[in-house]
């Protein structure tokens, strides 16, 4: 059942929906995949919700896909930003990252990451693109257990 259909059904069955709306986490607990960026990590409440959502999806066997969006303008402290983004990426199963973001966050060139993904993290799939050209270079799923 789609989320829209689910919410629509709840409104018909329970007009008090607007007074006591259900937690948005209810809709993602059984998700197969959660797709998110990293911009929200700059806001404390949003960061908390993002980590909680990721934990819920992963605890239910779902996957976390993170599209890194490094934008220094949203952060007061760039080193804090780097640490927050890296902590969130540690939870990811799939990461889409630009070559510039990879270099900033990991101090690594994209070719190095694609040749040796374990040097970056234990993600199952890493996609690196150049600038806004979306010239993707993806490392197909690899055995992340071999990184250990």
């Amino acid at each position: 059942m789609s989320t829209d259909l689910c919410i629509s059904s709840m409104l018909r069955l329970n007009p008090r929906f607007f007074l006591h709306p259900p937690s948005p986490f209810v809709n993602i607990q059984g998700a197969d995949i959660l797709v998110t960026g990293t911009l929200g990590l700059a806001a404390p409440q949003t960061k908390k919700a993002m980590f909680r959502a990721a934990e819920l999806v992963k605890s239910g066997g779902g996957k976390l896909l993170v599209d890194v969006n490094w934008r220094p303008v949203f952060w007061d402290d760039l080193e804090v930003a780097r640490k927050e983004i890296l902590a969130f990426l540690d939870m990811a199963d799939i990461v889409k990252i630009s070559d510039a973001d990879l270099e900033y966050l990991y101090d690594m060139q994209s070719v190095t990451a694609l040749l040796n993904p374990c040097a970056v993290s234990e993600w199952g799939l890493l996609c690196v693109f150049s600038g806004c050209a979306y010239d993707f270079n993806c490392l197909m799923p690899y055995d992340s257990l071999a990184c250990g």
Side-chain angles (χ1 to χ4, degrees):
M1 177 183 295
S2 77
T3 304
D4 293 339
L5 182 58
C6 180
I7 290 173
S8 175
S9 298
M10 289 168 41
L11 288 173
R12 280 195 299 268
L13 296 175
N14 186 356
R16 290 177 283 181
F17 174 82
F18 291 106
L19 296 175
H20 305 287
S23 165
F25 295 124
V26 169
N27 293 321
I28 63 170
Q29 283 179 323
D32 293 323
I33 188 164
L34 174 65
V35 178
T36 184
T38 56
L39 293 179
L41 297 173
Q45 286 299 99
T46 306
K47 176 183 82 172
K48 184 178 175 183
M50 289 172 65
F51 272 91
R52 179 69 178 131
E55 289 166 359
L56 284 170
V57 167
K58 292 187 68 74
S59 71
K63 302 293 183 194
L64 175 63
L65 183 154
V66 178
D67 180 354
V68 178
N69 312 106
W70 168 239
R71 304 290 185 277
V73 69
F74 293 108
W75 297 85
D76 294 325
D77 183 327
L78 300 185
E79 189 52 34
V80 168
R82 186 176 172 278
K83 289 177 183 176
E84 296 288 351
I85 293 170
L86 290 175
F88 195 62
L89 290 177
D90 281 344
M91 300 177 72
D93 298 291
I94 303 167
V95 173
K96 177 186 163 274
I97 189 167
S98 72
D99 51 358
D101 293 349
L102 183 68
E103 190 169 342
Y104 171 74
L105 292 170
Y106 292 95
D107 193 27
M108 184 179 300
Q109 299 292 318
S110 59
V111 69
T112 304
L114 291 167
L115 290 173
N116 184 13
C118 297
V120 180
S121 190
E122 296 180 7
W123 306 317
L125 179 63
L126 172 65
C127 292
V128 180
F129 66 95
S130 296
C132 61
Y134 289 97
D135 178 21
F136 285 98
N137 294 293
C138 289
L139 180 67
M140 297 322 291
Y142 62 92
D143 182 3
S144 61
L145 295 176
C147 293

